[in-house]
Amino acid sequence: MRQRSLIAITAALAAGALTLTACGSRDSGDKGSSGSGNTTVVIGVDAPLTGQNSATGLGIQYGAQIAVDDANKNKTVPGVTFKIKALDDKAVPATGQQNASQLVADKDVLGVVGPLNSGVATQMQQVFATANLVQISPSNTNPELTMGKNWQTNKVRPFKTYFRTATTDALQGAYAADYAYNGAKKKKAFVVDDKQTYGAGLSKIFKEQFEKQGGKVIGTDHVNVGDRDFSTLVTKIKNSGADLLYYGGQYDESEVLTKQLKDAGANIPLFGGDGMFTPTYIKTAGKAAEGDLVTSIGVPVDTLPAAKDFVATYKAKKYPGDYGTYGSYAYDAATAIIKAVGQVVKDGKVPSDARAQIVDAVQKSSFDGISGKIAFDEYGDTTNKQLTVYQVQSGEWKSVKSGTANPKS
């Protein structure tokens, strides 16, 4: 998933930050505070931990934290104690890039989980690639991140250090379009996006696929991140005769938009992507959210037997944020890094080229995670293509359909 305002930053800043790169061997006598050994390996986490998108960002942080705690408790890698270093990108691309440089400069960081937003990822990938530092996002869904800008006609992997445990908008948008037309029986859609990498990309794919299904897109428009008055847009949607509003963006704006839409008497569902899939959306929109729809990656975490202990631990520790959206995918991303470290770091000894070796080990990942099978294709994308449609029913997100997408060509 996802992006907030794309802020340009000079190449000089990135280049300067990269001169700090260091990943030489660590002293095997370094003391960790707890866990399985006396060599400390740090797993970085980057996500919005405050402000907009923080509900889902915190779910990523603590999903990774539980994975590290489990690895230390189980002595998964002999001689190694794992720690989390969590940085707040506030959903701002430039901040994410600065965080990437900070993580690269820490010699103990051997892998990174994150970011939440696709737009932030675009500013981090080169930094990590230059340092041979593996990055696994549990939530980025923009296809360009793994297959390049011309992915629809010529797939080329831009960075071999970038992976994700979330499936892409190419499938999510198509799955939503199929459900909207064939499942919800909607024939006329109005499509809105927030102009950001995630939202605009997802809306574009939904529009293309909805029309290929036989539906009609009778209007399109855009909003700005941070908007709170949608009166003009609401009037336009209401007068269009649409029987569905498809929204590409985050819950921060859509939870307000759906309320204003229903208050104006336009009783049509708002359908969005995983950027909306959080209890916060329902809490803010209230009764106006009833009947609204989202797609999200995977199947409901609460229904996965392998995730039972994870969910119980998250609740018992009263961690903030929303574990249900990306928490299990963050757990599996961190676990992939931990397993790769186990193949490279023997008896607590970290080789000088550990980061590069870990990238190669992650590429060969194959294990049963708590969210499903964890493996990556030649582009760094997850091989798990499961998706679920959720609907607000009696004030809660309820799954209504799970499966895999088959985009129409």
Side-chain angles (χ1 to χ4, degrees), residues 102 120 176 264 327 357 408:
Q102 183 178 335
V120 175
Q357 287 192 49
K408 286 183 173 290

Side-chain angles (χ1 to χ4, degrees), residues 175 178-179 182-183 294-296 298-300 387-391 398-404:
Y175 197 67
D178 176 73
Y179 185 83
N182 297 306
V294 296
T295 48
S296 192
V299 297
L387 290 157
T388 298
V389 175
Y390 297 85
Q391 185 174 43
K398 301 289 188 181
S399 60
V400 294
K401 182 185 179 184
S402 292
T404 55

Side-chain angles (χ1 to χ4, degrees), residues 150-171:
N150 299 316
W151 63 272
Q152 289 178 303
T153 56
N154 183 31
K155 295 180 178 66
V156 177
R157 185 176 185 177
F159 303 103
K160 74 171 188 176
T161 51
Y162 178 87
F163 301 82
R164 52 180 157 200
T165 51
T167 195
T168 74
D169 292 334
L171 298 180

Side-chain angles (χ1 to χ4, degrees), residues 379-390:
Y379 302 104
D381 281 325
T382 178
T383 57
N384 182 357
K385 310 298 185 184
Q386 287 283 105
L387 290 157
T388 298
V389 175
Y390 297 85

Side-chain angles (χ1 to χ4, degrees), residues 339-356:
K339 287 181 177 293
V341 169
Q343 296 179 41
V344 174
V345 179
K346 304 296 184 182
D347 300 319
K349 296 178 181 177
V350 183
S352 59
D353 62 343
R355 286 179 171 178

Side-chain angles (χ1 to χ4, degrees), residues 140-221:
N140 295 161
T141 54
N142 189 284
E144 293 183 10
L145 296 171
T146 49
M147 296 181 286
K149 291 187 178 299
N150 299 316
W151 63 272
Q152 289 178 303
T153 56
N154 183 31
K155 295 180 178 66
V156 177
R157 185 176 185 177
F159 303 103
K160 74 171 188 176
T161 51
Y162 178 87
F163 301 82
R164 52 180 157 200
T165 51
T167 195
T168 74
D169 292 334
L171 298 180
Q172 186 175 191
Y175 197 67
D178 176 73
Y179 185 83
Y181 187 79
N182 297 306
K185 306 298 182 184
K186 303 299 182 182
K187 308 305 178 188
K188 296 182 292 182
F190 198 104
V191 178
V192 176
D193 69 69
D194 64 359
K195 304 179 187 177
Q196 307 305 312
T197 298
Y198 164 70
L202 184 59
S203 290
K204 180 176 182 289
I205 294 166
F206 173 86
K207 180 179 181 293
E208 291 172 352
Q209 291 293 318
F210 188 70
E211 291 175 332
K212 287 177 180 178
Q213 290 285 349
K216 184 177 181 181
V217 174
I218 59 176
T220 62
D221 211 331

Side-chain angles (χ1 to χ4, degrees), residues 302-322:
D302 292 311
T303 69
L304 295 168
K308 184 178 179 180
D309 289 344
F310 166 78
V311 173
T313 299
Y314 202 106
K315 291 179 177 179
K317 289 185 175 291
K318 294 182 169 54
Y319 283 141
D322 171 28

